[in-house]
mmCIF file of all heavy atoms in Angstrom:
data_model
loop_
_atom_site.group_PDB
_atom_site.id
_atom_site.type_symbol
_atom_site.label_atom_id
_atom_site.label_comp_id
_atom_site.label_asym_id
_atom_site.label_seq_id
_atom_site.Cartn_x
_atom_site.Cartn_y
_atom_site.Cartn_z
ATOM 1 N N GLY E 1 -80.444 -207.994 -31.833
ATOM 2 C CA GLY E 1 -81.825 -207.945 -31.362
ATOM 3 C C GLY E 1 -82.776 -208.712 -32.261
ATOM 4 O O GLY E 1 -83.687 -209.391 -31.774
ATOM 5 N N PHE E 2 -82.558 -208.623 -33.578
ATOM 6 C CA PHE E 2 -83.441 -209.323 -34.521
ATOM 7 C C PHE E 2 -83.254 -210.838 -34.429
ATOM 8 O O PHE E 2 -84.232 -211.590 -34.353
ATOM 9 C CB PHE E 2 -83.167 -208.832 -35.938
ATOM 10 C CG PHE E 2 -83.995 -209.524 -36.981
ATOM 11 C CD1 PHE E 2 -85.310 -209.158 -37.196
ATOM 12 C CD2 PHE E 2 -83.468 -210.564 -37.738
ATOM 13 C CE1 PHE E 2 -86.089 -209.800 -38.157
ATOM 14 C CE2 PHE E 2 -84.233 -211.212 -38.693
ATOM 15 C CZ PHE E 2 -85.540 -210.826 -38.896
ATOM 16 N N THR E 3 -82.023 -211.298 -34.468
ATOM 17 C CA THR E 3 -81.784 -212.750 -34.441
ATOM 18 C C THR E 3 -82.192 -213.358 -33.107
ATOM 19 O O THR E 3 -82.688 -214.486 -33.060
ATOM 20 C CB THR E 3 -80.310 -213.056 -34.722
ATOM 21 O OG1 THR E 3 -79.469 -212.332 -33.800
ATOM 22 C CG2 THR E 3 -79.931 -212.656 -36.140
ATOM 23 N N ASN E 4 -82.011 -212.622 -32.011
ATOM 24 C CA ASN E 4 -82.412 -213.159 -30.712
ATOM 25 C C ASN E 4 -83.930 -213.265 -30.612
ATOM 26 O O ASN E 4 -84.453 -214.122 -29.898
ATOM 27 C CB ASN E 4 -81.871 -212.275 -29.591
ATOM 28 C CG ASN E 4 -81.942 -212.945 -28.237
ATOM 29 O OD1 ASN E 4 -81.505 -214.076 -28.067
ATOM 30 N ND2 ASN E 4 -82.488 -212.249 -27.253
ATOM 31 N N SER E 5 -84.654 -212.386 -31.345
ATOM 32 C CA SER E 5 -86.117 -212.441 -31.327
ATOM 33 C C SER E 5 -86.678 -213.486 -32.277
ATOM 34 O O SER E 5 -87.835 -213.891 -32.129
ATOM 35 C CB SER E 5 -86.696 -211.064 -31.709
ATOM 36 O OG SER E 5 -86.546 -210.155 -30.652
ATOM 37 N N THR E 6 -85.893 -213.896 -33.266
ATOM 38 C CA THR E 6 -86.383 -214.893 -34.226
ATOM 39 C C THR E 6 -85.881 -216.295 -33.894
ATOM 40 O O THR E 6 -86.641 -217.259 -33.957
ATOM 41 C CB THR E 6 -85.953 -214.522 -35.650
ATOM 42 O OG1 THR E 6 -84.540 -214.273 -35.676
ATOM 43 C CG2 THR E 6 -86.674 -213.264 -36.121
ATOM 44 N N ALA E 7 -84.602 -216.410 -33.530
ATOM 45 C CA ALA E 7 -84.057 -217.722 -33.169
ATOM 46 C C ALA E 7 -84.348 -218.079 -31.719
ATOM 47 O O ALA E 7 -84.229 -219.241 -31.329
ATOM 48 C CB ALA E 7 -82.543 -217.745 -33.407
ATOM 49 N N LEU E 8 -84.719 -217.061 -30.911
ATOM 50 C CA LEU E 8 -85.009 -217.252 -29.481
ATOM 51 C C LEU E 8 -83.802 -217.788 -28.733
ATOM 52 O O LEU E 8 -83.950 -218.489 -27.721
ATOM 53 C CB LEU E 8 -86.219 -218.185 -29.294
ATOM 54 C CG LEU E 8 -87.489 -217.790 -30.051
ATOM 55 C CD1 LEU E 8 -88.594 -218.804 -29.799
ATOM 56 C CD2 LEU E 8 -87.948 -216.397 -29.649
ATOM 57 N N SER E 9 -82.611 -217.477 -29.215
ATOM 58 C CA SER E 9 -81.364 -217.912 -28.563
ATOM 59 C C SER E 9 -80.223 -217.161 -29.219
ATOM 60 O O SER E 9 -80.384 -216.603 -30.309
ATOM 61 C CB SER E 9 -81.162 -219.425 -28.725
ATOM 62 O OG SER E 9 -81.005 -219.763 -30.094
ATOM 63 N N PRO E 10 -79.044 -217.138 -28.581
ATOM 64 C CA PRO E 10 -77.899 -216.485 -29.219
ATOM 65 C C PRO E 10 -77.537 -217.181 -30.532
ATOM 66 O O PRO E 10 -77.631 -218.403 -30.641
ATOM 67 C CB PRO E 10 -76.781 -216.631 -28.179
ATOM 68 C CG PRO E 10 -77.473 -216.880 -26.880
ATOM 69 C CD PRO E 10 -78.720 -217.619 -27.224
ATOM 70 N N THR E 11 -77.153 -216.392 -31.512
ATOM 71 C CA THR E 11 -76.705 -216.945 -32.791
ATOM 72 C C THR E 11 -75.196 -216.814 -32.901
ATOM 73 O O THR E 11 -74.478 -217.768 -32.657
ATOM 74 C CB THR E 11 -77.407 -216.241 -33.955
ATOM 75 O OG1 THR E 11 -77.226 -214.814 -33.823
ATOM 76 C CG2 THR E 11 -78.894 -216.547 -33.950
ATOM 77 N N ASP E 12 -74.711 -215.638 -33.273
ATOM 78 C CA ASP E 12 -73.261 -215.460 -33.393
ATOM 79 C C ASP E 12 -72.696 -214.568 -32.309
ATOM 80 O O ASP E 12 -71.477 -214.436 -32.176
ATOM 81 C CB ASP E 12 -72.899 -214.879 -34.765
ATOM 82 C CG ASP E 12 -73.504 -213.503 -34.980
ATOM 83 O OD1 ASP E 12 -74.494 -213.192 -34.288
ATOM 84 O OD2 ASP E 12 -72.993 -212.742 -35.817
ATOM 85 N N VAL E 13 -73.544 -213.919 -31.503
ATOM 86 C CA VAL E 13 -73.094 -213.030 -30.431
ATOM 87 C C VAL E 13 -73.346 -213.720 -29.101
ATOM 88 O O VAL E 13 -74.485 -214.069 -28.778
ATOM 89 C CB VAL E 13 -73.828 -211.680 -30.483
ATOM 90 C CG1 VAL E 13 -73.291 -210.750 -29.400
ATOM 91 C CG2 VAL E 13 -73.674 -211.041 -31.853
ATOM 92 N N MET E 14 -72.288 -213.897 -28.318
ATOM 93 C CA MET E 14 -72.393 -214.617 -27.063
ATOM 94 C C MET E 14 -72.473 -213.656 -25.873
ATOM 95 O O MET E 14 -71.605 -212.778 -25.735
ATOM 96 C CB MET E 14 -71.175 -215.532 -26.878
ATOM 97 C CG MET E 14 -71.068 -216.651 -27.898
ATOM 98 S SD MET E 14 -72.435 -217.834 -27.790
ATOM 99 C CE MET E 14 -73.376 -217.390 -29.262
ATOM 100 N N PRO E 15 -73.493 -213.773 -25.026
ATOM 101 C CA PRO E 15 -73.550 -212.934 -23.826
ATOM 102 C C PRO E 15 -72.561 -213.445 -22.780
ATOM 103 O O PRO E 15 -72.571 -214.621 -22.425
ATOM 104 C CB PRO E 15 -74.999 -213.097 -23.353
ATOM 105 C CG PRO E 15 -75.406 -214.449 -23.866
ATOM 106 C CD PRO E 15 -74.667 -214.661 -25.149
ATOM 107 N N LEU E 16 -71.721 -212.564 -22.289
ATOM 108 C CA LEU E 16 -70.721 -212.934 -21.284
ATOM 109 C C LEU E 16 -71.099 -212.413 -19.890
ATOM 110 O O LEU E 16 -70.917 -213.113 -18.904
ATOM 111 C CB LEU E 16 -69.346 -212.396 -21.686
ATOM 112 C CG LEU E 16 -68.799 -212.856 -23.047
ATOM 113 C CD1 LEU E 16 -67.414 -212.275 -23.283
ATOM 114 C CD2 LEU E 16 -68.777 -214.372 -23.153
ATOM 115 N N ALA E 17 -71.593 -211.199 -19.827
ATOM 116 C CA ALA E 17 -71.956 -210.603 -18.539
ATOM 117 C C ALA E 17 -73.311 -211.134 -18.083
ATOM 118 O O ALA E 17 -74.183 -211.431 -18.914
ATOM 119 C CB ALA E 17 -71.996 -209.086 -18.652
ATOM 120 N N PRO E 18 -73.522 -211.242 -16.771
ATOM 121 C CA PRO E 18 -74.821 -211.723 -16.281
ATOM 122 C C PRO E 18 -75.990 -210.876 -16.768
ATOM 123 O O PRO E 18 -77.051 -211.416 -17.100
ATOM 124 C CB PRO E 18 -74.666 -211.664 -14.754
ATOM 125 C CG PRO E 18 -73.187 -211.809 -14.526
ATOM 126 C CD PRO E 18 -72.542 -211.108 -15.678
ATOM 127 N N TRP E 19 -75.822 -209.552 -16.793
ATOM 128 C CA TRP E 19 -76.932 -208.710 -17.233
ATOM 129 C C TRP E 19 -77.283 -209.002 -18.688
ATOM 130 O O TRP E 19 -78.471 -208.975 -19.059
ATOM 131 C CB TRP E 19 -76.621 -207.232 -17.044
ATOM 132 C CG TRP E 19 -75.636 -206.652 -18.014
ATOM 133 C CD1 TRP E 19 -74.318 -206.405 -17.792
ATOM 134 C CD2 TRP E 19 -75.888 -206.233 -19.370
ATOM 135 N NE1 TRP E 19 -73.729 -205.866 -18.911
ATOM 136 C CE2 TRP E 19 -74.666 -205.751 -19.893
ATOM 137 C CE3 TRP E 19 -77.013 -206.224 -20.180
ATOM 138 C CZ2 TRP E 19 -74.551 -205.269 -21.199
ATOM 139 C CZ3 TRP E 19 -76.900 -205.746 -21.484
ATOM 140 C CH2 TRP E 19 -75.681 -205.263 -21.973
ATOM 141 N N ALA E 20 -76.284 -209.268 -19.527
ATOM 142 C CA ALA E 20 -76.544 -209.560 -20.933
ATOM 143 C C ALA E 20 -77.313 -210.866 -21.076
ATOM 144 O O ALA E 20 -78.227 -210.976 -21.916
ATOM 145 C CB ALA E 20 -75.235 -209.623 -21.702
ATOM 146 N N LYS E 21 -76.971 -211.869 -20.285
ATOM 147 C CA LYS E 21 -77.695 -213.133 -20.331
ATOM 148 C C LYS E 21 -79.146 -212.942 -19.890
ATOM 149 O O LYS E 21 -80.071 -213.513 -20.494
ATOM 150 C CB LYS E 21 -76.992 -214.162 -19.442
ATOM 151 C CG LYS E 21 -75.585 -214.519 -19.915
ATOM 152 C CD LYS E 21 -74.924 -215.513 -18.991
ATOM 153 C CE LYS E 21 -73.518 -215.852 -19.472
ATOM 154 N NZ LYS E 21 -72.829 -216.823 -18.608
ATOM 155 N N CYS E 22 -79.350 -212.142 -18.839
ATOM 156 C CA CYS E 22 -80.711 -211.915 -18.348
ATOM 157 C C CYS E 22 -81.551 -211.151 -19.372
ATOM 158 O O CYS E 22 -82.713 -211.495 -19.621
ATOM 159 C CB CYS E 22 -80.661 -211.144 -17.027
ATOM 160 S SG CYS E 22 -79.942 -212.057 -15.652
ATOM 161 N N VAL E 23 -80.967 -210.124 -19.987
ATOM 162 C CA VAL E 23 -81.711 -209.320 -20.956
ATOM 163 C C VAL E 23 -82.028 -210.137 -22.201
ATOM 164 O O VAL E 23 -83.150 -210.064 -22.735
ATOM 165 C CB VAL E 23 -80.917 -208.052 -21.314
ATOM 166 C CG1 VAL E 23 -81.587 -207.311 -22.470
ATOM 167 C CG2 VAL E 23 -80.816 -207.134 -20.110
ATOM 168 N N MET E 24 -81.076 -210.925 -22.685
ATOM 169 C CA MET E 24 -81.338 -211.748 -23.869
ATOM 170 C C MET E 24 -82.386 -212.812 -23.568
ATOM 171 O O MET E 24 -83.209 -213.154 -24.426
ATOM 172 C CB MET E 24 -80.045 -212.384 -24.363
ATOM 173 C CG MET E 24 -79.076 -211.385 -24.985
ATOM 174 S SD MET E 24 -77.594 -212.134 -25.699
ATOM 175 C CE MET E 24 -78.299 -212.962 -27.134
ATOM 176 N N THR E 25 -82.384 -213.349 -22.355
ATOM 177 C CA THR E 25 -83.412 -214.306 -21.958
ATOM 178 C C THR E 25 -84.789 -213.651 -21.941
ATOM 179 O O THR E 25 -85.776 -214.216 -22.441
ATOM 180 C CB THR E 25 -83.104 -214.892 -20.577
ATOM 181 O OG1 THR E 25 -81.835 -215.557 -20.604
ATOM 182 C CG2 THR E 25 -84.177 -215.876 -20.141
ATOM 183 N N LEU E 26 -84.863 -212.440 -21.381
ATOM 184 C CA LEU E 26 -86.133 -211.715 -21.336
ATOM 185 C C LEU E 26 -86.635 -211.413 -22.740
ATOM 186 O O LEU E 26 -87.824 -211.578 -23.036
ATOM 187 C CB LEU E 26 -85.953 -210.418 -20.546
ATOM 188 C CG LEU E 26 -87.173 -209.487 -20.484
ATOM 189 C CD1 LEU E 26 -88.344 -210.190 -19.806
ATOM 190 C CD2 LEU E 26 -86.814 -208.188 -19.760
ATOM 191 N N GLN E 27 -85.742 -210.986 -23.628
ATOM 192 C CA GLN E 27 -86.161 -210.678 -24.994
ATOM 193 C C GLN E 27 -86.673 -211.925 -25.707
ATOM 194 O O GLN E 27 -87.694 -211.877 -26.407
ATOM 195 C CB GLN E 27 -85.015 -210.067 -25.791
ATOM 196 C CG GLN E 27 -85.448 -209.639 -27.187
ATOM 197 C CD GLN E 27 -84.303 -209.247 -28.084
ATOM 198 O OE1 GLN E 27 -83.145 -209.423 -27.730
ATOM 199 N NE2 GLN E 27 -84.619 -208.712 -29.249
ATOM 200 N N SER E 28 -85.996 -213.042 -25.540
ATOM 201 C CA SER E 28 -86.449 -214.281 -26.171
ATOM 202 C C SER E 28 -87.811 -214.694 -25.647
ATOM 203 O O SER E 28 -88.681 -215.137 -26.411
ATOM 204 C CB SER E 28 -85.432 -215.403 -25.921
ATOM 205 O OG SER E 28 -84.190 -215.118 -26.525
ATOM 206 N N LEU E 29 -88.020 -214.549 -24.341
ATOM 207 C CA LEU E 29 -89.307 -214.908 -23.743
ATOM 208 C C LEU E 29 -90.424 -214.015 -24.274
ATOM 209 O O LEU E 29 -91.512 -214.498 -24.628
ATOM 210 C CB LEU E 29 -89.218 -214.801 -22.217
ATOM 211 C CG LEU E 29 -90.489 -215.129 -21.430
ATOM 212 C CD1 LEU E 29 -90.912 -216.569 -21.672
ATOM 213 C CD2 LEU E 29 -90.272 -214.877 -19.940
ATOM 214 N N VAL E 30 -90.166 -212.699 -24.339
ATOM 215 C CA VAL E 30 -91.167 -211.761 -24.850
ATOM 216 C C VAL E 30 -91.516 -212.079 -26.300
ATOM 217 O O VAL E 30 -92.684 -212.109 -26.690
ATOM 218 C CB VAL E 30 -90.648 -210.314 -24.712
ATOM 219 C CG1 VAL E 30 -91.530 -209.344 -25.507
ATOM 220 C CG2 VAL E 30 -90.604 -209.903 -23.247
ATOM 221 N N SER E 31 -90.491 -212.337 -27.113
ATOM 222 C CA SER E 31 -90.728 -212.642 -28.521
ATOM 223 C C SER E 31 -91.497 -213.946 -28.687
ATOM 224 O O SER E 31 -92.403 -214.043 -29.524
ATOM 225 C CB SER E 31 -89.389 -212.724 -29.255
ATOM 226 O OG SER E 31 -89.575 -212.984 -30.626
ATOM 227 N N LEU E 32 -91.152 -214.953 -27.893
ATOM 228 C CA LEU E 32 -91.861 -216.230 -27.960
ATOM 229 C C LEU E 32 -93.337 -216.066 -27.633
ATOM 230 O O LEU E 32 -94.211 -216.623 -28.318
ATOM 231 C CB LEU E 32 -91.205 -217.223 -26.999
ATOM 232 C CG LEU E 32 -91.870 -218.597 -26.881
ATOM 233 C CD1 LEU E 32 -91.825 -219.335 -28.217
ATOM 234 C CD2 LEU E 32 -91.194 -219.429 -25.790
ATOM 235 N N ILE E 33 -93.637 -215.279 -26.614
ATOM 236 C CA ILE E 33 -95.032 -215.072 -26.221
ATOM 237 C C ILE E 33 -95.798 -214.332 -27.314
ATOM 238 O O ILE E 33 -96.923 -214.711 -27.684
ATOM 239 C CB ILE E 33 -95.090 -214.306 -24.889
ATOM 240 C CG1 ILE E 33 -94.553 -215.184 -23.744
ATOM 241 C CG2 ILE E 33 -96.515 -213.867 -24.583
ATOM 242 C CD1 ILE E 33 -94.437 -214.458 -22.426
ATOM 243 N N ILE E 34 -95.191 -213.264 -27.849
ATOM 244 C CA ILE E 34 -95.868 -212.480 -28.883
ATOM 245 C C ILE E 34 -96.142 -213.332 -30.111
ATOM 246 O O ILE E 34 -97.279 -213.412 -30.610
ATOM 247 C CB ILE E 34 -95.030 -211.243 -29.264
ATOM 248 C CG1 ILE E 34 -94.947 -210.267 -28.094
ATOM 249 C CG2 ILE E 34 -95.642 -210.547 -30.481
ATOM 250 C CD1 ILE E 34 -94.044 -209.080 -28.361
ATOM 251 N N LEU E 35 -95.097 -213.982 -30.629
ATOM 252 C CA LEU E 35 -95.249 -214.763 -31.853
ATOM 253 C C LEU E 35 -96.213 -215.925 -31.653
ATOM 254 O O LEU E 35 -97.081 -216.184 -32.500
ATOM 255 C CB LEU E 35 -93.885 -215.278 -32.321
ATOM 256 C CG LEU E 35 -92.875 -214.208 -32.748
ATOM 257 C CD1 LEU E 35 -91.537 -214.856 -33.091
ATOM 258 C CD2 LEU E 35 -93.398 -213.419 -33.930
ATOM 259 N N GLY E 36 -96.078 -216.625 -30.530
ATOM 260 C CA GLY E 36 -96.924 -217.787 -30.290
ATOM 261 C C GLY E 36 -98.388 -217.420 -30.144
ATOM 262 O O GLY E 36 -99.264 -217.995 -30.821
ATOM 263 N N LEU E 37 -98.692 -216.421 -29.299
ATOM 264 C CA LEU E 37 -100.087 -216.069 -29.057
ATOM 265 C C LEU E 37 -100.719 -215.390 -30.266
ATOM 266 O O LEU E 37 -101.879 -215.667 -30.606
ATOM 267 C CB LEU E 37 -100.181 -215.157 -27.834
ATOM 268 C CG LEU E 37 -99.877 -215.813 -26.477
ATOM 269 C CD1 LEU E 37 -99.996 -214.792 -25.359
ATOM 270 C CD2 LEU E 37 -100.815 -216.987 -26.221
ATOM 271 N N VAL E 38 -99.987 -214.500 -30.927
ATOM 272 C CA VAL E 38 -100.558 -213.774 -32.063
ATOM 273 C C VAL E 38 -100.853 -214.736 -33.202
ATOM 274 O O VAL E 38 -101.945 -214.701 -33.811
ATOM 275 C CB VAL E 38 -99.606 -212.658 -32.517
ATOM 276 C CG1 VAL E 38 -100.033 -212.096 -33.871
ATOM 277 C CG2 VAL E 38 -99.578 -211.541 -31.492
ATOM 278 N N VAL E 39 -99.912 -215.604 -33.516
ATOM 279 C CA VAL E 39 -100.136 -216.550 -34.624
ATOM 280 C C VAL E 39 -101.280 -217.505 -34.299
ATOM 281 O O VAL E 39 -102.150 -217.788 -35.146
ATOM 282 C CB VAL E 39 -98.845 -217.331 -34.925
ATOM 283 C CG1 VAL E 39 -99.114 -218.461 -35.903
ATOM 284 C CG2 VAL E 39 -97.778 -216.393 -35.493
ATOM 285 N N ALA E 40 -101.308 -218.011 -33.052
ATOM 286 C CA ALA E 40 -102.370 -218.922 -32.671
ATOM 287 C C ALA E 40 -103.740 -218.259 -32.760
ATOM 288 O O ALA E 40 -104.715 -218.841 -33.257
ATOM 289 C CB ALA E 40 -102.126 -219.433 -31.261
#
C-alpha cells in the first residue's frame, strides 16, 4: 500500500487478478490527486 501510493505503480508486487489491478489503479489515482493538489 505504501509503495503503490508513493511510486504510483507496482514495485515488487504484481497484481494478477482484475480486481487487484483495479484497486491498485484507484489507489494510485487517489494518491496522485492528494499529493499533487496538496503540494501545489
Side-chain angles (χ1 to χ4, degrees):
F2 178 79
T3 55
N4 195 50
S5 286
T6 51
L8 307 179
S9 64
T11 53
D12 62 339
V13 183
M14 295 296 107
L16 302 182
W19 73 259
K21 296 179 180 180
C22 293
V23 172
M24 290 185 70
T25 300
L26 176 61
Q27 184 190 8
S28 296
L29 179 61
V30 168
S31 181
L32 177 63
I33 292 174
I34 293 175
L35 295 176
L37 290 180
V38 168
V39 171

